[in-house]
Amino acid sequence: MKKQISLLMFSLATMTSPGLMADNLPTTDPQAMNPVVVTGTRSEKLLSDSPVKTEVVSRQDIQSNHARDVKEALEDVPGLLLKRIHRKSGYEVWMQGLDSNRVKVLIDGEPVAASTGSTVDVTQISSLNIERIEVVKGATSALYGSSAMGGVINIITRPAEQGVHYEALAEAGSFGEDNPGERSAEIATGRASGRISIGNPQWYSALNIDARTSEGFDATPGTWTTQGAEGERFALKGSFGWTPDQQQRYEVYADYYREDLTNQITAYTGGKAIFKLKEEEADRIRLGSRFNIDSTSGEWSGSLFHEKFEDETYQDVIATPEKEDRRSAEIETQRATLNWSHQVWEAHYLTSGLEYFRETLEQYKEDTAEVSPGTDRQSFEWLIQDDVFLTENLEIVPGLRLQHDSDFGNYAAPKLNLRQEISKVDEWGLFVRGGVGRGYRVPNLKERHYTFDHSHIGYVVLGNPDLEPESSNSFQLGFGANNGKGAYVDLNFFYNDITDLIETAFSQERKDSRGDGVAVYSYINVAEAETRGVELSAAYPFNPTWRVHGGYTYMESEDKRTGLALIKRPKHQLKAGVKYRHQEWGTELVLNAVYQSEEFTDEANTLESPDWTTMDIKLNQPIYSQLTVFGGIDNITDTQRDFSQADRDMRPEEGRFFYLGLRIEG
């Protein structure tokens, strides 16, 4: 696999054909700074006019910041917390103090199955095929159903263009002193990707390929344990569409992802260190079709979707010839939707939709079922939303979602959003925006049926079939100003009140076959919590050469049972960036910085992880029309956690990282 990637990187680097070249310099088009968004209301609106606060990561942002996956694309979004998944190689997203179990990740509106527990690993989603990412915070269950209590991340893929277009990219990087073994001067990571799209007024197709490889990184030389996983990630997506006329569009697509990762870990049993290789292989297949028809009776759209995610892990003791502790899981999802939208009159837009959803889970440890085969859940859901301008400047968007779940019966989730244009000062429009929504989350199949047996290291987690759904009330109130040309200021207050929160709790202790004590935990509805705070974000392009942007978040959280703060939720977060572009040379220089304050790591609020600051620098240099050389240094400050206190130190895991790449577009 590594030889193939190296060969592909060399091939991509030599694909320069002057006959196909066109200008690919970064755009400063105002429309690119004020795009059309759809996630907040499921209808097209300019970002500056949306009644639901929406944050957008554009294709231009992804390229300027050299984001390889969704995790890296989201790093500059104010208020988002990107956290390493516990004992995994990937990252998850937290919003407004709600953890990743309560954040819904979508690709073109279709859900992404959790790779672990209820968590989506956003490093598994390559950035190559992304047109933009829309982020909506707070309870949006009225639009997107269960698991959207904290918010929604909707990844919108790139459309095929008219004519023939291509893009190819090659990149190599190094962790320097953290490269494994004695290879501090060698390449530790590589990436090669390519895209081609072909289209005319009647049909279009696109093919995307992305391959990433890594030797991992080792921040504790001299020990067996390594922190970064060694292995490969590969993604392939193809789509084909037919547009017989301007009122109809039909599309089918297939998406495949595979990862094969290995970590060196040390486990302690009876005071004795056991050296292991933790191997994980994951495969994800997404198949789907969708249509849009614009008729005199309204706009009709629908989709059929199927996803299969398989994950297999080993914890292989290197002192023995066989692979031990094999665990495999398979999650399958089916979804069918039918939606209707209609412009009732000029200031009145009605939307309604039906959805069927089914999910199954099977999990085995060796040949023993940890989840009974055939365990599944299904739901039928109905959505209605009205978008009305009561006056020229006052827009209200009420909505209601009704869900019938096979195991939990009926549930209703209402919501209401509004936006009032206050006044116009020169080019600046002033507005106030508010929203209230009811969120809920049905317990997932693992929480209800899973037996997570780690008795060999002293604990077991048991599923609880008697769990009840979680629920939340979310309140958002914002004030802002924008000039429609990329300059804006947005101040948003939020409050989330959560009940019946599901968490693990100690239930008993039992003896294993050797007589050692094993702690038994179970999922229960016990917690009541709230999060509250304020988010400030702003951007200003001084001229085509300079642009600054940033965001500050202050957040408080509380476990209502104890009155103490929830763990792993910092009070302060500051993100800021500056972008410089030389008009004649096309040189683009980007500097991004993140500051995050201390956060409690224990429920008694006696232990704190230190505050931290990181800075990244990015450079893009067009050298011949379509050909761009790019590179950068991530985490210039080399901020890194103390791995001897890994459960108490939440600072970044990756240290300083250097990389250089080449991109060709045509």
Side-chain angles (χ1 to χ4, degrees), residues 242-279:
W242 178 46
T243 53
D245 53 50
Q246 294 184 348
Q247 283 73 44
Q248 300 178 74
R249 182 171 67 88
Y250 306 89
E251 183 178 299
V252 294
Y253 61 91
D255 192 350
Y256 173 71
Y257 171 82
R258 177 174 175 79
E259 69 178 25
D260 188 351
L261 305 176
T262 302
N263 266 100
Q264 295 178 190
I265 63 174
T266 304
Y268 293 90
T269 302
K272 181 180 179 181
I274 300 176
F275 304 122
K276 297 182 177 183
L277 291 174
K278 183 178 180 181
E279 302 177 17

Side-chain angles (χ1 to χ4, degrees), residues 642-655:
D642 179 358
F643 287 97
S644 67
Q645 303 288 328
D647 292 334
R648 300 180 182 179
D649 195 334
M650 298 293 110
R651 289 177 294 178
E653 291 198 0
E654 294 90 345

Side-chain angles (χ1 to χ4, degrees), residues 541-600:
F542 291 99
N543 50 48
T545 300
W546 290 96
R547 181 179 186 268
V548 296
H549 69 273
Y552 167 72
T553 301
Y554 174 80
M555 181 182 65
E556 294 181 346
S557 62
E558 181 182 342
D559 183 334
K560 290 187 175 181
R561 298 167 300 173
T562 63
L564 300 176
L566 300 172
I567 65 171
K568 300 181 181 180
R569 290 161 172 87
K571 277 191 175 183
H572 306 278
Q573 184 195 74
L574 177 65
K575 296 184 178 182
V578 58
K579 180 183 290 187
Y580 166 82
R581 180 174 180 264
H582 192 284
Q583 294 299 295
E584 182 179 352
W585 299 344
T587 304
E588 186 180 64
L589 188 64
V590 180
L591 181 66
N592 295 321
V594 177
Y595 167 77
Q596 199 161 289
S597 66
E598 300 89 348
E599 54 193 283
F600 291 113

Side-chain angles (χ1 to χ4, degrees), residues 133 176 223 259 319 344 363 367 371 440 452 476 486 500 580 595 610:
I133 304 173
T223 68
E259 69 178 25
V344 180
Q363 184 142 331
D367 294 322
V371 174
Y440 68 101
F452 191 75
Q476 313 282 325
D500 292 326
Y580 166 82
Y595 167 77

Side-chain angles (χ1 to χ4, degrees), residues 69-327:
D69 52 43
V70 169
K71 178 259 181 184
E72 295 184 3
L74 294 173
E75 286 178 341
D76 291 330
V77 177
L80 295 194
L81 297 175
L82 294 158
K83 293 182 175 288
R84 175 77 79 169
I85 299 173
H86 184 60
R87 301 187 185 278
K88 292 281 186 176
S89 300
Y91 278 80
E92 59 191 21
V93 184
W94 296 28
M95 290 188 195
Q96 292 189 346
L98 278 78
D99 64 31
S100 59
N101 291 356
R102 294 147 187 100
V103 173
K104 198 158 194 172
V105 179
L106 309 168
I107 299 178
D108 291 328
E110 302 290 357
V112 180
S115 56
T116 174
S118 304
T119 295
V120 174
D121 177 0
V122 289
T123 66
Q124 293 182 346
I125 307 172
S126 166
S127 66
L128 174 67
N129 192 38
I130 297 175
E131 176 68 17
R132 67 184 185 275
I133 304 173
E134 298 182 6
V135 178
V136 176
K137 300 172 184 172
T140 51
S141 290
L143 286 181
Y144 295 101
S146 177
S147 300
M149 290 168 57
V152 166
I153 297 170
N154 192 13
I155 300 157
I156 298 171
T157 57
R158 298 168 69 177
E161 302 165 282
Q162 296 288 301
V164 179
H165 297 270
Y166 70 86
E167 178 180 342
L169 179 149
E171 177 192 317
S174 171
F175 291 101
E177 294 182 354
D178 282 355
N179 281 356
E182 304 296 326
R183 295 174 289 189
S184 60
E186 295 185 12
I187 293 174
T189 69
R191 182 189 181 197
S193 61
R195 169 184 167 86
I196 185 168
S197 70
I198 304 172
N200 63 35
Q202 280 73 49
W203 62 270
Y204 59 88
S205 64
L207 179 67
N208 303 270
I209 302 174
D210 185 78
R212 292 175 281 166
T213 182
S214 177
E215 299 289 340
F217 65 90
D218 184 4
T220 55
T223 68
W224 169 257
T225 302
T226 59
Q227 289 73 42
E230 175 187 3
E232 295 87 27
R233 300 173 185 261
F234 177 78
L236 173 67
K237 180 173 182 178
S239 60
F240 178 83
W242 178 46
T243 53
D245 53 50
Q246 294 184 348
Q247 283 73 44
Q248 300 178 74
R249 182 171 67 88
Y250 306 89
E251 183 178 299
V252 294
Y253 61 91
D255 192 350
Y256 173 71
Y257 171 82
R258 177 174 175 79
E259 69 178 25
D260 188 351
L261 305 176
T262 302
N263 266 100
Q264 295 178 190
I265 63 174
T266 304
Y268 293 90
T269 302
K272 181 180 179 181
I274 300 176
F275 304 122
K276 297 182 177 183
L277 291 174
K278 183 178 180 181
E279 302 177 17
E280 182 163 10
E281 300 174 3
D283 291 88
R284 187 191 301 273
I285 298 174
R286 295 167 63 89
L287 304 172
S289 63
R290 46 183 169 246
F291 74 88
N292 287 83
I293 299 175
D294 194 359
S295 69
T296 55
S297 63
E299 181 179 348
W300 295 86
S301 63
S303 66
L304 294 173
F305 171 74
H306 174 84
E307 182 183 63
K308 184 176 182 180
F309 180 77
E310 296 179 296
D311 184 82
E312 189 165 22
T313 61
Y314 296 90
Q315 291 199 24
D316 181 18
V317 179
I318 62 171
T320 61
E322 67 278 350
K323 290 185 177 181
E324 297 89 359
D325 198 10
R326 172 181 173 272
R327 179 174 276 113

Side-chain angles (χ1 to χ4, degrees), residues 448-603:
R448 294 166 55 205
H449 303 289
Y450 185 35
T451 300
F452 191 75
D453 186 0
H454 266 323
S455 54
H456 61 288
I457 57 175
Y459 75 94
V460 173
V461 181
L462 301 178
N464 180 1
D466 298 322
L467 289 173
E468 294 294 329
E470 301 174 335
S471 62
S472 70
N473 293 313
S474 177
F475 302 88
Q476 313 282 325
L477 178 62
F479 304 88
N482 64 74
N483 66 359
K485 298 179 181 179
Y488 67 88
V489 177
D490 199 303
L491 181 69
N492 188 66
F493 298 88
F494 65 88
Y495 175 78
N496 296 292
D497 184 23
I498 311 108
T499 58
D500 292 326
L501 199 63
I502 297 170
E503 65 175 29
T504 55
F506 177 79
S507 60
Q508 62 175 308
E509 184 174 67
R510 69 187 188 195
K511 301 293 183 180
D512 63 12
S513 59
R514 298 170 299 184
D516 295 331
V518 176
V520 179
Y521 295 85
S522 181
Y523 294 100
I524 56 176
N525 291 99
V526 293
E528 294 188 10
E530 65 180 43
T531 65
R532 54 190 178 270
V534 59
E535 301 167 319
L536 173 66
S537 58
Y540 190 77
F542 291 99
N543 50 48
T545 300
W546 290 96
R547 181 179 186 268
V548 296
H549 69 273
Y552 167 72
T553 301
Y554 174 80
M555 181 182 65
E556 294 181 346
S557 62
E558 181 182 342
D559 183 334
K560 290 187 175 181
R561 298 167 300 173
T562 63
L564 300 176
L566 300 172
I567 65 171
K568 300 181 181 180
R569 290 161 172 87
K571 277 191 175 183
H572 306 278
Q573 184 195 74
L574 177 65
K575 296 184 178 182
V578 58
K579 180 183 290 187
Y580 166 82
R581 180 174 180 264
H582 192 284
Q583 294 299 295
E584 182 179 352
W585 299 344
T587 304
E588 186 180 64
L589 188 64
V590 180
L591 181 66
N592 295 321
V594 177
Y595 167 77
Q596 199 161 289
S597 66
E598 300 89 348
E599 54 193 283
F600 291 113
T601 58
D602 69 320
E603 293 183 354

